[in-house]
Structure formats: structure tokens, C-alpha cells
Amino acid sequence: MDMRLSRRSVLHAGLGIAAGAALGGSLTACGDGGAGVLPPAAGRTVLPDYVPYTAVTPDFPGTEQGVLNGFYHYPATPVRAFPDGPPAEGDPFRFMTIIYNPVPPPVSRNRLWQELNAYLGADLQLEIVPSTDYVTKFSLTIAGGDLPDGMLVRPEAPQKPGLLSALCEDLTPYLSGSAVRRYPYLANLPTMSWRNCVLNGRIYGVPMPRLNSGSAMFYRADFLAARSLNPEPANFAEFLQLCRDLTDPSQTRYACGDPLTTFYFVMEMLGSPKDWREENGRFTWYLEDTDRVRQGLDAMRQLVRAGVMHPDGFSTTGRFKDWFGNGQIAINYDGATAWNDYYRSYRSASPDLRVGAMVAPGFDGGPGVHWAGPSSFSMFSLKKAAPARIEQLLRALDALATPFGTDGYLLRKFGVPGHDFDFRESDPILNRTGTTENTLPAMFATDAPQVLYYPDDPSVVPEQYAWQQKAVSVLISDAAEGLYSAADAARGGPNRDLMFQTLRSYMQERNTWDDVLAGINRWRTVVGDQSRVEYEQAWQQWAV
């Protein structure tokens, strides 16, 4: 596919005006942003060149289809990413970003952070915002006008095209095409991840690349082995029986916990698209395929009737990972990167814990599909500034993207040897201090491409690699990834939540199929039809 992007200035200019009005004029009040109306179309924008990093040879080579590079061990002699010295020397800079873990100690008590500043050559002043507060904090920051030098911009940020044009630096001259080669570790980021950083036909941020195999249906391999159960059901009927065999209410043990993500897995069995499907330029939301949805929901009713769902699963959120780790549930649909997290968090209490992952079979046999994850978590945008300042910030982001096998990656991910970790041969093993300090959320500015690596137990790596090979062979992506819809950004989330409440009620036989159809029609009226139009228009820009 030609990765150039043309723009429709009339549509986007309207979005920019709306953004300026919604934010009380703040889009015109910062830096040299000018008015909130977007610039006229300027042809087609070339995405950054992709120049893979090849100085370290993986034990398990990645593939173009999305299997990650896998490594048994860290190189005994890490590559010096910047042999000429710190890359971003100059004035301090302030980045605002998100965190999902406990906030790490401040820089005055955090050796990892101190050493990272020395590595960069400037003080990185991180404004760390808990995930539950980030949307509010982002809005207040924009409205107040005191922008940090860089900030994470979520995909669902409202009025995003106009906001970026008015407040954030157009990075196209710095990163488009071969220009990115001045920043070799940013050039190592996959092409698809950059697509999420393009709006108004311009590059407005740096990506945070993520593995495209997305989520996995994890299972407690130790539980299955103890019962001699097959972890690869051939169809839904076998999956249902597996769930029955794993359930023992007398021991407070159930097969599944989260009804919504279990429904996702059933929909993968049914070959459902991921969120939006595109066919001949026409977009359809996956829940609009009502025959397939009803079959999936009726399958969920079978699981509920069989008693294999945790009884609190319909009334709780945020506890499923703990339930899986402590053995209350044996199967859990989670982000694929959680594989290592389960071992780090729960193996000390359960030494026999073993985790595996399955790919959805076809509902009646044969292959199912696997839903791809987003190619980038979010994008990180820079406040408008003089070219010398932008270049310093890009050099800093380049350092935050140093890949596996380099000294920079070792520092960011594991910290300071002898303080945050100790070497087991060439592998860094975190200690208690390291598990606290390494939550520093530099990865939510940008990051290196992810790899398969678990220093505490290298035998996990080939299992993860084999699962990814299966997953990418039946991968299906969201057609709307990298596209922007103002309607979906503003109203999509709350209305999807309302729809999911309706689905949960149907699974529990508390409402009827007519209620589900009414919910889908309500979604179409409130947000869906307008989102469809906007995604189709955005798709045409990529298609030309």
C-alpha cells in the first residue's frame, strides 16, 4: 500500500474551528500556533523511512507478519547506542505522560531516573499522571495553556486535528521519509505505528509501538497439566467442555472471569472483524453483524448456564488479573505482554505457576481469527518551539527508543546494576528496588519495538514465539486503526459502554434479543452512523 497521505482541508478546517471554540479559544493562545483553522492541503505526506536495527541477532527472528524478535539472553556486552556521548545535551525538558503502575520515587530518590538524565545529557522532568486522571489532566493542561514540552495524546482526544495543528509542532520536516534517519532509533519503529501519528496530512507525534498480536487467551498451564486437559480446543463445544473441566465451585475456582473479553474470544471463533471492517470503502462495526453477534451471545449464555463464569465477573472490574494469578480463574483474556507480568507478580506465591496461551479455533472447527492490537499505544506530541529545541527533544526521544541489546534499553528497562538489578550471567534480574524504580513511565513517551525476553526464565520465550506464530497466521486488524473520527472520539466510548451493558444483560438472560437490536440502533443514531461517514472519508485519504 502507498503510505502517502493526502488531506481534505475543508473537512479538517471545520474540525479545527470546532476545537478552538470548544476550548474557549485556547488553541490560539500558545506559542506561535496562530488561529485554530487548519492549514490548506499541502499534497501528500510521506511516512518516516523504516530502517530496522540489526546490530543484535535474535535467537528467534521476527517476521514481517508481526512475530516479535525473541531472545534467550541479554548480550554480554551491550551495544553503546551513543558512542559520542549524551545525545540531548541542553536545557531541561518537561514531559507529561501516563502511568498504570504505582508512581515511582521522585528523581531525588530514584537512581534509575538520575542515570537516565545523565544518559540523555539533560534533566527529564516527568509529570506522571495516573491513568484514571489523565483525561481530566490533559483537558485542564490544554485549557490552561501551560503546555509541557511534550505530552502523550490519546487516540480518543477530542477535537484532535485542530488541537494538534494549533498547539503542537508539525514534525513532518524532521521525520518524514529519509529525514528520520538522523534519529536512527526512531527510524527503527515500524511503519504502521507511525500511521497513528498522522493527522491533517502531517506528522504530529512519535509513536509508542506495540506488538500487533494484541491480546491472548491465557490459561493456567499448571492447572491443565494436573488434569491432563488439552489446551487447544478444536471448536466451541470443546472449549465449553474445557471450561467445565476447569471449574470447581467448592474450591472457588472457575474457568473464566471477565464476560466481555470472553465474548471477544468467542467472536474470534466466529471470524468476527476487530471493531471496524472495511469492504470497498464501506465501514461496518462488528456488532452490526447481528447474525454473528447473536450466535456469540447465545454461546456466552451456554457458558453462564454451565456455571463456568466467576459469579462476581459481571459485577466487578479490574480484578481478573489477580483472579488468574491466585487461581480463582484458569482462563483470562489479557494483553499479550501480561505473559511476563504474571510470572513476575504471582510466581513467588505459586512456584508451580505456568502460563500458556491459546488461539481461537473456528466455532465449528477449523481456524478462527485473532484480533490484532493497535500498532501504537498513543502518540507523543511536542509543543511548538524553535527548531533547535525540537531537535533536542527528538534526540531525547531517539534515546528513549534505543532497542534491545543496547546500553540505553538495559538502563530504561532494568536500571542500575548492583542497585536495581544483579546480573545472572548476562541477564539482569530485578531486585526489590528495581521493581519500584523501573515503573518510571518513559515508555509512554516512546519506546523501542517490543521483543520476547524474560530473563528470570528464558524457557518462556519459545512458548511465546510459537503462540505468536499461530496468532499472526490468522490475524485480523481494525480497519479504522490510524484513522480519526471526531464523533467516535467524542461519543464513542460512553456509547460502547452502554452497548456492552446491554450485551452483559443478554448473557445473563436479563433482557431479550430485541433489547440488543435496540441498543445497536441507538448506537447507530447517537454515534455510529456519523463515525462511519468520518472513517470512510479518512480511509479515502489513505487509499489515494
Side-chain angles (χ1 to χ4, degrees):
M1 177 181 179
D2 186 353
M3 299 307 292
R4 295 171 180 261
L5 178 65
S6 62
R7 297 178 296 159
R8 305 295 172 87
S9 59
V10 174
L11 170 66
H12 289 321
L15 294 174
I17 293 167
L23 294 172
S26 65
L27 290 179
T28 68
C30 179
D32 57 355
V37 179
L38 304 180
R44 306 172 76 194
T45 297
V46 181
L47 292 178
D49 287 355
Y50 175 50
V51 187
Y53 181 75
T54 59
V56 179
T57 303
D59 298 295
F60 299 90
T63 68
E64 292 182 2
Q65 290 71 35
V67 178
L68 299 181
N69 287 326
F71 298 87
Y72 278 126
H73 301 289
Y74 211 85
T77 304
V79 177
R80 289 187 64 194
F82 299 100
D84 296 329
E89 290 181 322
D91 292 338
F93 46 90
R94 181 164 60 101
F95 284 174
M96 186 177 82
T97 192
I98 198 169
I99 193 168
Y100 291 86
N101 296 309
V103 175
V107 64
S108 61
R109 295 188 288 109
N110 191 318
R111 281 281 306 282
L112 188 159
W113 196 341
Q114 294 167 12
E115 292 298 321
L116 181 60
N117 285 346
Y119 187 83
L120 295 171
D123 286 344
L124 169 58
Q125 300 170 351
L126 276 176
E127 189 171 356
I128 301 171
V129 184
S131 59
T132 52
D133 301 329
Y134 195 81
V135 171
T136 299
K137 176 64 176 177
F138 181 84
S139 298
L140 292 173
T141 299
I142 296 298
D146 181 20
L147 299 188
D149 295 293
M151 58 184 176
L152 179 145
V153 181
R154 294 287 292 135
E156 65 274 13
Q159 297 95 36
K160 189 162 65 170
L163 181 152
L164 293 172
S165 177
L167 299 181
C168 298
E169 188 71 27
D170 176 4
L171 299 176
T172 310
Y174 301 91
L175 299 175
S176 179
S178 62
V180 77
R181 293 172 183 258
R182 295 182 59 194
Y183 312 99
Y185 306 117
L186 295 181
N188 180 48
L189 305 185
T191 298
M192 186 60 189
S193 67
W194 287 99
R195 178 169 163 173
N196 294 275
C197 299
V198 176
L199 282 164
N200 312 328
R202 314 300 286 172
I203 299 170
Y204 277 107
V206 172
M208 303 165 201
R210 296 294 184 264
L211 74 170
N212 71 354
S213 47
S215 297
M217 183 59 102
F218 291 108
Y219 59 85
R220 287 288 299 262
D222 49 329
F223 292 175
L224 272 70
R227 294 162 176 76
S228 300
L229 299 175
N230 178 14
E232 297 185 357
N235 51 45
F236 174 76
E238 290 190 11
F239 176 74
L240 174 60
Q241 185 58 49
L242 174 64
C243 290
R244 288 192 176 107
D245 293 338
L246 287 167
T247 298
D248 185 354
S250 68
Q251 300 297 317
T252 318
R253 180 173 295 166
Y254 299 87
C256 304
D258 185 353
L260 184 58
T261 58
T262 304
F263 173 67
Y264 293 164
F265 189 66
V266 172
M267 293 301 286
E268 289 178 329
M269 293 186 191
L270 290 165
S272 171
K274 167 72 184 298
D275 287 338
W276 290 93
R277 179 183 66 217
E278 179 274 328
E279 188 173 2
N280 297 321
R282 170 72 175 173
F283 273 60
T284 306
W285 195 40
Y286 77 114
L287 291 184
E288 294 180 281
D289 187 347
T290 53
D291 290 342
R292 183 154 30 196
V293 169
R294 185 166 193 175
Q295 188 176 1
L297 288 174
D298 287 343
M300 287 300 303
R301 282 187 168 185
Q302 292 185 58
L303 292 169
V304 173
R305 290 169 188 160
V308 304
M309 304 294 300
H310 193 292
D312 296 331
F314 283 93
S315 58
T316 191
T317 58
R319 298 177 61 189
F320 306 116
K321 190 184 293 286
D322 281 341
W323 286 354
F324 184 79
N326 65 31
Q328 289 191 52
I329 59 175
I331 298 174
N332 191 43
Y333 193 93
D334 201 350
T337 54
W339 205 318
N340 289 358
D341 293 340
Y342 286 129
Y343 285 123
R344 288 196 182 101
S345 300
Y346 302 103
R347 209 174 212 180
S348 59
S350 303
D352 295 329
L353 179 144
R354 198 75 192 176
V355 177
M358 64 180 77
V359 175
F363 192 89
D364 295 313
V369 301
H370 185 78
W371 287 357
S375 300
S376 176
F377 172 77
S378 290
M379 72 171 168
F380 197 79
S381 297
L382 303 180
K383 179 176 67 175
K384 288 180 182 289
R389 180 63 163 175
I390 296 299
E391 289 169 358
Q392 181 203 10
L393 298 176
L394 288 174
R395 289 194 299 271
L397 291 169
D398 193 48
L400 296 180
T402 48
F404 182 92
T406 64
D407 56 351
Y409 186 99
L410 185 66
L411 172 61
R412 293 197 321 278
K413 302 296 184 181
F414 297 97
V416 181
H419 178 76
D420 296 299
F421 71 86
D422 297 297
F423 281 109
R424 182 190 295 160
E425 297 183 354
S426 65
D427 291 314
I429 306 299
L430 288 171
N431 56 33
R432 183 173 297 179
T433 301
T435 58
T436 301
E437 292 190 349
N438 88 332
T439 61
L440 191 74
M443 71 180 69
F444 293 117
T446 189
D447 203 1
Q450 293 174 308
V451 298
L452 304 176
Y453 174 64
Y454 185 53
D456 299 70
D457 184 358
S459 70
V460 171
V461 174
E463 298 172 2
Q464 296 173 334
Y465 188 78
W467 174 81
Q468 284 204 348
Q469 287 179 308
K470 293 179 182 177
V472 304
S473 71
V474 290
L475 203 65
I476 186 167
S477 299
D478 177 9
E481 184 185 0
L483 307 179
Y484 182 76
S485 160
D488 206 3
R491 304 189 299 278
N495 282 283
R496 276 190 291 272
D497 290 343
L498 286 174
M499 189 68 238
F500 294 151
Q501 291 176 20
T502 301
L503 300 185
R504 289 187 183 96
S505 294
Y506 185 88
M507 296 174 198
Q508 297 175 283
E509 302 189 46
R510 294 180 177 178
N511 66 6
T512 67
W513 178 243
D514 286 342
D515 294 315
V516 175
L517 293 178
I520 294 170
N521 287 331
R522 180 183 63 242
W523 170 86
R524 285 185 178 128
T525 300
V526 175
V527 65
D529 288 340
Q530 184 61 33
S531 299
R532 186 191 335 278
V533 169
E534 292 169 355
Y535 281 132
E536 289 171 357
Q537 290 172 333
W539 174 264
Q540 289 304 316
Q541 297 173 13
W542 281 106
V544 296

